[in-house]
Amino acid sequence: MSATPQKNRASRRVLAAAAGLVTVGALVAAMPAGAHDRGHGHGGGHGHGHKPRTVDVQLLSFNDLHGNLEPPAGSAGNVSKTHPDGTVESIPAGGVEYLATSLRTARKGDPYSVTAAGGDMVGASPLLSGLFHDEPTIEALNKLDLDVTAVGNHEFDEGATELARLQNGGCHPVEGCYEKGKKFKGADFPYLAANVTKEKTGKPLLKPYTVWKKKGVKIGFIGVTLEGTPDIVTANGVKGLKFHDEVETINKYARELDRKGVKSIVALIHEGGAPASTSYNYDCDSPGAGDGISGPIVDIAKGITPKVDALVTGHTHQAYVCTVPDPSGKPRMVTSASSFGKLYTDTTLTYDRRTNDIVRTSVKSANHVVTRDQAKAPDMTRLIDRWNKLAAPIANKPQGWISADINGRGSTAPEKPLGNVIADAQLEGLAPADKGGAEVAFMNPGGIRADLVHKASGSEGDGVVTYGEAFTVQPFTNMMNVVDLTGAQLVTALQQQVSGPNEASPKILQVSRGLTYTLDLTKSGADRVVADTIKLNGEAIDPARTYRVAMNEFLAGGGDGFPALGQGTNKLVGASDLDLFNAYLAAHSTATAPLAPPATDRITVIQ
């Protein structure tokens, strides 16, 4: 999801020094004649020296792991399942100890199995991975036997040089090696970035594609991130890079693979859609192919050449297994496996040895839950324990106390309780005249990466918020800015939540106490923000007056489709968002008087 990306290096140096259930999958057309024994060919003779004409290839895929090595806490760690009677069950899922077990179990008996990912494997990660610049996650993915992944927007959070280090290995240029005598080896799988080129040379930043081969079977994988990556990553993260159209790029490299004799092609695309239901077992091909999905991936899928046989997608953190027609009108599989390792997708690709192509009519796919009632993978437990020991001195330090869960990432409402806490923390920390004189604060919803969960994550006790938990909520360590904006610019910024690039998928800013307005979702575009209801401390916003506005550096740069916020002047750079969050928790909670979830009464929503 779009988020506040930059992990500020200076503050990170300081910080370091301180230290399976099946979906109703989309089944397409009839199966070819003959038994479909997975991993065993069918058709074409049984004598010596005769290979079966077709063989089933198992494609296992997932996306948007975001460094969640441990099971994600609270509502962000659940997937929804709708039962036939209409009741919805919430199933705890995720964690690499279980993901490893799920994938290894799924591969058993499948001689032709390939594992691919749809980007955002790292970035916006919990402290266990983020503190170490995501080396633990790359190590875990190596152990998972990941074969290939596309880059996502979050792979650019720390810039192209750091992404190259994750691929190629070597210790961190500032913080060095984290374990004595151990050098970081890098990813043993290729990161693909077909649509990312260097501005100076025009050459691809990383490999555009790779070809997986086994016993004469060849499948090409092309990887792209969303073209809009520069809009949702800080300027430093994408400096010197150009991001190209997803469809044009995939079609270009599909032609190249085709010329090389690679006829079976899978696109890994870090862009996605929104199914009509958030339940992982929703049939988004009901009543017709792809009817139950919307969003950018639909048009992308319709434009990608029929040479591509399946699309593994991501970015929206949604679960879906759909077919969307290709340009020739034939259905083609499009999948996404939620986020944080809570699901994986199992897709069968029937490979025809005579044509070297996939028999598209027999492609079938389903999402499976990474349940937490299965055995943990011991090697992943050892990995987590090893890195937790290194992180413990920083991670376990208490920051404050809460009386109940305060939902952020897990809240689907426009105004989130944790969003209010964060915005209030930013306003309070930057309101003093010498800190910027802020009168109002804005927080982008994508930058809230988790919930604050009352139940203890370790030995700290229920209700205690540790540094590690606070970091997981705000992992980017963005520096805060306070700027001058006119009342007119403020109104425009609020309207940009629901218009322009954000019209189809609104991004509702979290606002500090004192700012109130009505959001009328029965209207369209900018009109959804009712301008004459916008008030600050009970007074209507004066278009001509100048206001001091606090926000993170990402928003202050116009990120997330808010160009009006990028027009601020008289900028003062304050503390990091995480420092302000922790200071607020310390100032507003004690063991005997914990912080309660705040009311969500700042934005009046008309549905």
Side-chain angles (χ1 to χ4, degrees):
M1 305 291 278
S2 71
T4 326
Q6 180 80 342
K7 297 175 182 171
N8 182 275
R9 293 193 173 187
S11 64
R12 295 303 288 282
R13 289 200 295 274
V14 171
L15 187 141
L21 300 167
V22 182
T23 64
V24 186
L27 262 160
V28 187
M31 307 278 271
H36 253 276
D37 294 325
R38 167 98 84 173
H40 306 287
H42 39 79
H46 303 281
H48 291 293
H50 287 285
K51 281 184 179 174
R53 176 166 169 175
T54 60
V55 62
D56 282 347
V57 176
Q58 178 189 55
L59 170 62
L60 301 176
S61 57
F62 58 97
N63 50 278
D64 296 276
L65 182 65
H66 289 289
N68 278 264
L69 302 180
E70 294 175 298
S75 55
N78 295 330
V79 294
S80 297
K81 178 185 181 182
T82 300
H83 291 280
D85 64 1
T87 57
V88 178
E89 179 187 4
S90 195
I91 305 169
V96 292
E97 293 160 298
Y98 303 112
L99 180 60
T101 298
S102 288
L103 294 176
R104 288 164 184 169
T105 303
R107 289 178 190 134
K108 281 178 184 167
D110 270 289
Y112 296 89
S113 183
V114 57
T115 303
D120 277 7
M121 295 295 98
V122 300
S125 306
L127 187 103
L128 176 60
S129 186
L131 184 62
F132 306 106
H133 295 275
D134 284 311
E135 289 181 22
T137 297
I138 297 296
E139 187 183 329
L141 292 170
N142 288 343
K143 289 180 185 292
L144 276 180
D145 294 323
L146 182 63
D147 290 295
V148 58
T149 184
V151 293
N153 52 290
H154 282 281
E155 265 81 17
F156 295 94
D157 283 354
E158 294 191 61
T161 304
E162 176 63 5
L163 173 55
R165 186 182 78 87
L166 291 181
Q167 176 72 85
N168 301 320
C171 296
H172 193 270
V174 175
E175 292 167 19
C177 301
Y178 293 112
E179 295 178 285
K180 198 173 178 183
K182 270 193 180 180
K183 185 183 171 188
F184 174 57
K185 292 177 181 173
D188 64 12
F189 51 88
Y191 260 113
L192 304 182
N195 65 331
V196 186
T197 57
K198 299 174 188 171
E199 278 181 351
K200 282 185 180 172
T201 64
K203 290 182 177 171
L205 175 68
L206 295 168
K207 287 174 69 168
Y209 61 79
T210 190
V211 180
W212 177 83
K213 298 175 184 173
K214 185 154 188 185
K215 296 181 183 173
V217 172
K218 291 188 296 188
I219 298 179
F221 288 89
I222 304 168
V224 298
T225 187
L226 69 153
E227 186 182 7
T229 291
D231 301 329
I232 52 175
V233 173
T234 49
N236 283 341
V238 294
K239 198 173 180 182
L241 302 176
K242 192 160 184 192
F243 291 77
H244 303 271
D245 182 83
E246 304 95 340
V247 174
E248 288 173 16
T249 303
I250 291 168
N251 289 350
K252 169 186 166 184
Y253 287 111
R255 287 193 297 272
E256 189 171 311
L257 282 166
D258 188 60
R259 284 197 299 273
K260 290 182 173 182
V262 179
K263 308 293 184 185
S264 299
I265 303 171
V266 175
L268 308 175
I269 308 172
H270 192 70
E271 179 61 290
S277 164
T278 55
S279 288
Y280 87 91
N281 62 331
Y282 167 67
D283 179 8
C284 65
D285 275 0
S286 175
D291 282 351
I293 188 170
S294 59
I297 199 61
V298 178
D299 285 340
I300 290 171
K302 286 176 179 175
I304 290 173
T305 171
K307 294 181 194 299
V308 174
D309 299 295
L311 279 54
V312 171
T313 72
H315 187 56
T316 57
H317 291 203
Q318 302 297 309
Y320 48 85
V321 175
C322 299
T323 56
V324 177
D326 70 15
S328 71
K330 290 179 182 169
R332 176 170 52 196
M333 195 63 72
V334 180
T335 69
S336 175
S338 185
S339 64
F340 302 168
K342 294 181 288 189
L343 298 176
Y344 71 92
T345 313
D346 188 338
T347 303
T348 302
L349 301 172
T350 300
Y351 184 91
D352 186 330
R353 293 181 188 274
R354 201 171 297 171
T355 63
N356 296 325
D357 206 349
I358 301 300
V359 182
R360 189 95 75 74
T361 51
S362 65
V363 175
K364 57 184 185 289
S365 187
N367 274 327
H368 301 263
V369 181
V370 177
T371 58
R372 297 184 199 165
D373 56 4
Q374 59 187 319
K376 295 179 180 181
D379 57 337
M380 292 300 178
T381 303
R382 288 192 296 272
L383 180 150
I384 288 169
D385 288 348
R386 213 178 80 234
W387 288 102
N388 261 332
K389 281 192 182 77
L390 288 173
I394 296 167
N396 297 339
K397 193 176 174 192
Q399 302 298 310
W401 291 263
I402 56 174
S403 64
D405 288 1
I406 304 180
N407 283 345
R409 193 75 185 180
S411 168
T412 56
E415 181 184 348
K416 306 170 193 308
L418 190 50
N420 287 356
V421 173
I422 291 169
D424 288 351
Q426 294 175 354
L427 176 62
E428 184 170 295
L430 300 171
D434 62 335
K435 304 290 186 190
E439 299 169 82
V440 64
F442 291 137
M443 174 64 193
N444 58 310
I448 305 168
R449 304 306 299 186
D451 302 332
L452 278 185
V453 178
H454 185 263
K455 185 173 170 30
S457 58
S459 58
E460 76 275 14
D462 290 350
V464 178
V465 180
T466 64
Y467 186 92
E469 289 165 341
F471 182 98
T472 298
V473 169
Q474 292 215 274
F476 299 108
T477 322
N478 267 310
M479 304 315 288
M480 291 299 299
N481 291 180
V482 186
V483 300
D484 282 350
L485 286 171
T486 65
Q489 288 169 323
L490 268 185
V491 172
T492 300
L494 290 172
Q495 290 172 331
Q496 285 169 349
Q497 300 176 111
V498 290
S499 62
N502 294 329
E503 179 158 4
S505 182
K507 290 193 178 79
I508 305 303
L509 295 166
Q510 306 300 287
V511 298
S512 55
R513 68 164 59 92
L515 187 78
T516 55
Y517 70 93
T518 296
L519 183 66
D520 187 347
L521 297 177
T522 66
K523 295 180 177 173
S524 61
D527 290 341
R528 285 182 276 189
V529 171
V530 184
D532 61 9
T533 65
I534 304 170
K535 292 179 180 176
L536 184 59
N537 301 320
E539 290 186 13
I541 294 288
D542 178 353
R545 198 196 129 191
T546 295
Y547 295 83
R548 292 293 283 166
V549 183
M551 64 194 107
N552 59 51
E553 59 190 339
F554 170 61
L555 276 180
D560 255 359
F562 290 98
L565 296 180
Q567 294 167 357
T569 56
N570 194 19
K571 178 169 80 173
L572 184 142
V573 178
S576 76
D577 51 8
L578 182 61
D579 286 346
L580 292 181
F581 184 47
N582 283 329
Y584 186 86
L585 290 171
H588 290 272
S589 67
T590 63
T592 54
L595 180 69
T600 50
D601 53 6
R602 301 170 191 183
I603 305 171
T604 301
V605 181
I606 300 172
Q607 299 277 15

